[in-house]
Amino acid sequence: MGIDGIPLFSMLRGRLSWLGERQRVVAENVANADTPGYAARDLSAPADFARALDGARGVGLMRTSGMHMASPTAAATPFTAEVSPDSETTPDGNSVVVEEQMLRMAESRMAYDAAIGFYQKSLNMLRLAARATGR
């Protein structure tokens, strides 16, 4: 079994991919900060826990009673950029606030660093477990 078959690593890889795509969208927003009529965009939230569980185990959530709430359906694409106007809009219709975009970029960078750290720690644990005894 390769590392691609371990659900933890595939979820981390998906998270890193989402964060990288979010950085690209934020960079587009900053690049268009002076474009008249440009609306700031952001990615929709990453996959929730229920979808990650479904994908990792191949088992969906089951309603055992009619009183249970139905689980939300998965989106067709994992990453969807949506118009996400910032706190103000200029008279020319541009809704990009560079300070807010920088905050989004910093949030994404911190989350990316945390996910990379977790990925590296998990790899180190696998290496330790695979090492021969007595070494």
Side-chain angles (χ1 to χ4, degrees):
M1 174 183 195
I3 196 169
D4 296 336
I6 300 173
L8 171 70
F9 288 103
S10 63
M11 286 190 299
L12 281 170
R13 198 170 24 261
R15 176 72 172 163
L16 291 170
S17 176
W18 184 84
L19 289 166
E21 183 66 15
R22 185 171 194 220
Q23 288 286 59
R24 188 191 63 74
V25 170
V26 169
E28 271 183 20
N29 290 342
V30 172
N32 288 297
D34 292 328
T35 304
Y38 183 82
R41 298 181 314 142
D42 199 5
L43 290 185
S44 59
D48 62 359
F49 180 74
R51 281 194 287 173
L53 183 64
D54 290 346
R57 298 197 180 181
V59 177
L61 297 176
M62 184 164 47
R63 293 175 64 188
T64 57
S65 167
M67 299 294 289
H68 293 166
M69 294 186 336
S71 64
T73 58
T77 60
F79 310 129
T80 306
E82 325 175 312
V83 173
S84 173
D86 288 339
S87 60
E88 56 191 57
T89 302
T90 59
D92 67 359
N94 188 301
S95 66
V96 177
V97 178
V98 176
E99 292 83 4
E100 291 180 18
Q101 296 300 315
M102 293 297 111
L103 285 174
R104 287 180 186 169
M105 190 170 280
E107 287 172 358
S108 295
R109 180 62 196 187
M110 288 188 303
Y112 194 90
D113 289 342
I116 286 287
F118 191 63
Y119 195 90
Q120 289 172 337
K121 295 277 185 194
S122 299
L123 278 176
N124 289 338
M125 284 191 337
L126 282 177
R127 286 185 192 116
L128 182 66
R131 200 178 337 164
T133 58
R135 290 179 119 186

